[in-house]
Amino acid sequence: MADEQTPLPGEAEPSCPGCQGRDPLALPCGHQLCESCLQLCRSELGESGCTVCYGRDVLDSVVKGLLDSLFCGQPRRDAAGGRGGHGGLCALHGERLTLFCMEDEEPVCTVCQAGEHEDHECRSTEEAVQDCKKELKSALKPLQEKLEALNTAKQTCDESADHIKSQAQLTERLIKEEFEKLHQFLRDEEASLVAALKEEEEQKSQKMKEKIDKMANEIASLSDTIKMVEEEMEAEDISFLQNFKATVERAHCTTQDPETGSGSLIDVAKHLGSLNYRAWEKMQGIVQYVPVTLDPNTADTCLIVSDDLTTVRYTDEEQHLPDNPERFNYYECVLGSEGFGSGRHTWDVEVGDNSEWALGVAKETVLRKEWFPLSPERGLWSICLYAGEYRARAPISIPITVKKKPLRVRVQLDWDRGKVTFSDPSDNTVLYKFQHRFTERVFPYFSNTCKHHPLRVLPGRVSVSAE
């Protein structure tokens, strides 16, 4: 309500700005009008009745319309620095955006809430910002975990790439050493095998490089996404809420898991396995032939496979080797390079004074990264020497009685008849027999935990006759 204003001593008496009459009334807005002018203005302008305020509103409306026409579609900042359709104001009603509609996920004003958002859940912008940031933090967590997994996978691939290179170099050196022992007419064969090795190295190195590059791109993309989301979370509240939906969609991007397929390393056995024998076939002479060659890509990190792939030693110091899918991680064992799915196969192993060993066959799908009972039910048919006792690893460990300590053990596999026989080749004494109906390929199996003596696959006797 308008009140009379009494001038202080020394001040001029106030006058009505409309009629210049004395004793004007003070309006709630702070301006002054006499009672007659006030009644006149109220009849024209409404309840406020202040010509000064009305003039300012008209001017603000004109300026606002001019700015809207000049900067149509461009976001502008309000006095608090917030970015909105009209400086933090509702584009439809001109009211402050003080609420956030949880159903439509957009900032609204109180007029919007009373209208089209009447039945929607609306929260204050401060509360909505906290809830949305909490949701984005949850969305960031799997992205960060994926980034960590990709970084770990990339590191493994980097190590594999280095190992491929060292494998290739070592294999090339061994190939050349073997061929140096042969006559000049074998040089062509040497060049052929080296070329095959180079081709495999190039192919597998290129595949590994492509995998590394792909992971690097995915890591960069995820890093950019995480950085964008973190930057959005630091933005002003209105800006953050207005971009929230797009930010969430980008944060929910998916990436493919790193491929961990087998066969990524150099197939050393293909180049070195029975190398003399293959060369000997072309020479029509007599050379050494080893019926089983070891696959170093399957060897546990505590085992060292010799350069000629016939001997396996145990070491206390774990080697730094790639954790490829073929490699055993729990048991100190290594497989032969060739699997058998039919026929009869025999190989002799020199055990000598080795005090802890196991020999046999293992199915191709045997577990390699975790503990499992060493038994036929889990795909392993073997006998062992442990704690001074010979035993067969059957469902229940069975003691084996021997008349004398065998220095060599012969393993005979008859895949078609489902038999695995262990014997002492010095007198053909049978040590133990397994009977099983095989349904998949099996590989020669070797385990050595003796620190002082290796296991060695012995060469077979081969003869050739020409028709």
Side-chain angles (χ1 to χ4, degrees):
M1 174 180 253
D3 296 325
E4 294 186 2
Q5 184 174 10
T6 303
L8 298 174
E11 291 184 350
E13 293 187 0
S15 61
C16 174
C19 63
Q20 302 301 316
R22 299 296 180 184
D23 301 326
L25 303 176
L27 302 180
C29 61
H31 302 125
Q32 297 175 339
L33 284 175
C34 68
E35 186 172 358
S36 60
C37 289
L38 177 62
Q39 295 298 329
L40 178 63
C41 289
R42 283 181 174 176
S43 65
E44 297 295 331
L45 304 179
E47 185 63 27
S48 66
C50 179
T51 56
V52 178
C53 293
Y54 176 75
R56 288 182 179 176
D57 289 343
V58 172
L59 180 60
D60 289 343
S61 178
V62 172
V63 173
K64 178 176 178 297
L66 178 60
L67 290 175
D68 287 344
S69 64
L70 290 176
F71 303 103
C72 181
Q74 298 186 24
R76 299 194 296 278
R77 296 185 178 272
D78 58 14
R83 184 159 56 89
H86 295 287
L89 301 178
C90 177
L92 295 178
H93 308 107
E95 297 289 333
R96 296 284 297 176
L97 298 171
T98 58
L99 300 171
F100 184 73
C101 177
M102 302 304 293
E103 182 171 331
D104 295 332
E105 295 185 343
E106 63 179 4
V108 297
C109 68
T110 54
V111 179
C112 292
Q113 182 190 24
E116 58 179 308
H117 298 272
E118 182 179 4
D119 298 329
H120 298 173
E121 179 187 357
C122 294
R123 299 182 182 178
S124 67
T125 54
E126 294 80 3
E127 184 180 0
V129 165
Q130 295 301 319
D131 291 342
C132 292
K133 284 186 177 182
K134 183 177 180 181
E135 181 177 347
L136 277 181
K137 286 181 179 179
S138 299
L140 273 177
K141 186 175 181 180
L143 295 180
Q144 292 166 338
E145 291 175 350
K146 179 67 70 176
L147 177 62
E148 182 179 356
L150 283 173
N151 280 321
T152 302
K154 182 179 180 298
Q155 181 180 358
T156 301
C157 288
D158 289 336
E159 294 173 354
S160 296
D162 293 338
H163 192 67
I164 288 173
K165 190 69 175 178
S166 63
Q167 279 187 311
Q169 293 171 349
L170 175 61
T171 305
E172 181 177 352
R173 177 177 63 82
L174 295 174
I175 289 174
K176 290 184 176 182
E177 286 178 358
E178 289 294 327
F179 273 89
E180 286 298 327
K181 300 174 184 178
L182 305 177
H183 295 287
Q184 184 61 41
F185 67 87
L186 291 176
R187 297 295 183 185
D188 293 339
E189 180 69 6
E190 176 188 4
S192 175
L193 290 178
V194 172
L197 170 64
K198 288 293 187 180
E199 181 180 359
E200 182 179 0
E201 177 194 359
E202 181 179 354
Q203 292 175 352
K204 293 189 175 180
S205 296
Q206 180 63 28
K207 288 182 179 179
M208 191 59 65
K209 181 179 181 300
E210 292 173 357
K211 184 183 294 186
I212 293 172
D213 291 341
K214 181 179 179 181
M215 289 183 181
N217 291 335
E218 291 178 352
I219 289 172
S221 177
L222 276 177
S223 298
D224 290 342
T225 300
I226 292 173
K227 182 179 180 181
M228 181 276 296
V229 173
E230 291 175 341
E231 290 176 352
E232 284 296 329
M233 292 175 65
E234 297 298 327
E236 296 295 331
D237 293 351
I238 297 302
S239 171
F240 169 78
L241 294 173
Q242 288 176 331
N243 296 321
F244 173 71
K245 185 183 293 185
T247 304
V248 169
E249 292 176 355
R250 185 166 180 183
H252 287 162
C253 67
T254 58
T255 59
Q256 295 182 351
D257 291 332
E259 299 178 359
T260 58
S262 61
S264 61
L265 303 181
I266 296 293
D267 191 349
V268 179
K270 179 181 70 175
H271 299 285
L272 295 179
S274 302
L275 179 61
N276 286 344
Y277 175 72
R278 289 184 281 120
W280 160 75
E281 284 185 316
K282 295 184 178 181
M283 294 173 62
Q284 295 297 310
I286 303 299
V287 295
Q288 187 181 71
Y289 167 67
V290 181
V292 170
T293 53
L294 307 179
D295 185 355
N297 293 340
T298 67
D300 180 82
T301 55
C302 291
L303 297 181
I304 300 175
V305 177
S306 62
D307 289 343
D308 63 1
L309 310 180
T310 63
T311 303
V312 55
R313 296 178 179 274
Y314 177 83
T315 176
D316 287 331
E317 298 181 2
E318 291 190 4
Q319 304 170 85
H320 188 65
L321 299 172
D323 187 18
N324 50 296
E326 301 93 336
R327 193 176 307 283
F328 285 89
N329 288 146
Y330 195 89
Y331 291 110
E332 297 85 353
C333 58
V334 61
L335 298 183
S337 62
E338 181 182 359
F340 305 122
S342 63
R344 298 178 180 180
H345 308 274
T346 302
W347 58 95
D348 291 349
V349 182
E350 184 177 67
V351 295
D353 293 326
N354 191 301
S355 60
E356 292 183 5
W357 54 261
L359 301 173
V361 296
K363 66 180 182 180
E364 188 170 13
T365 56
V366 70
L367 294 177
R368 308 192 184 203
K369 304 298 182 183
E370 59 186 79
W371 180 89
F372 65 94
L374 302 175
S375 64
E377 286 72 18
R378 294 305 183 97
L380 181 65
W381 298 263
S382 65
I383 65 171
C384 69
L385 171 62
Y386 182 76
E389 292 185 346
Y390 295 91
R391 289 184 172 272
R393 289 171 168 174
I396 300 177
S397 181
I398 300 174
I400 298 176
T401 302
V402 297
K403 295 180 180 179
K404 64 175 182 178
K405 175 183 177 180
L407 299 180
R408 298 180 180 183
V409 175
R410 175 168 294 167
V411 184
Q412 293 174 294
L413 168 67
D414 189 337
W415 193 94
D416 299 320
R417 295 185 178 182
K419 293 182 179 180
V420 182
T421 305
F422 301 88
S423 61
D424 184 343
S426 65
D427 56 10
N428 292 324
T429 301
V430 175
L431 302 175
Y432 194 81
K433 285 185 179 181
F434 285 99
Q435 186 74 43
H436 179 81
R437 185 176 178 271
F438 297 111
T439 58
E440 61 179 279
R441 289 198 305 169
V442 294
F443 287 75
Y445 169 88
F446 307 83
S447 177
N448 181 16
T449 53
C450 176
K451 300 179 181 179
H452 306 292
H453 302 283
L455 295 179
R456 184 168 73 94
V457 182
L458 297 174
R461 296 197 321 181
V462 180
S463 62
V464 168
S465 61
E467 295 182 358

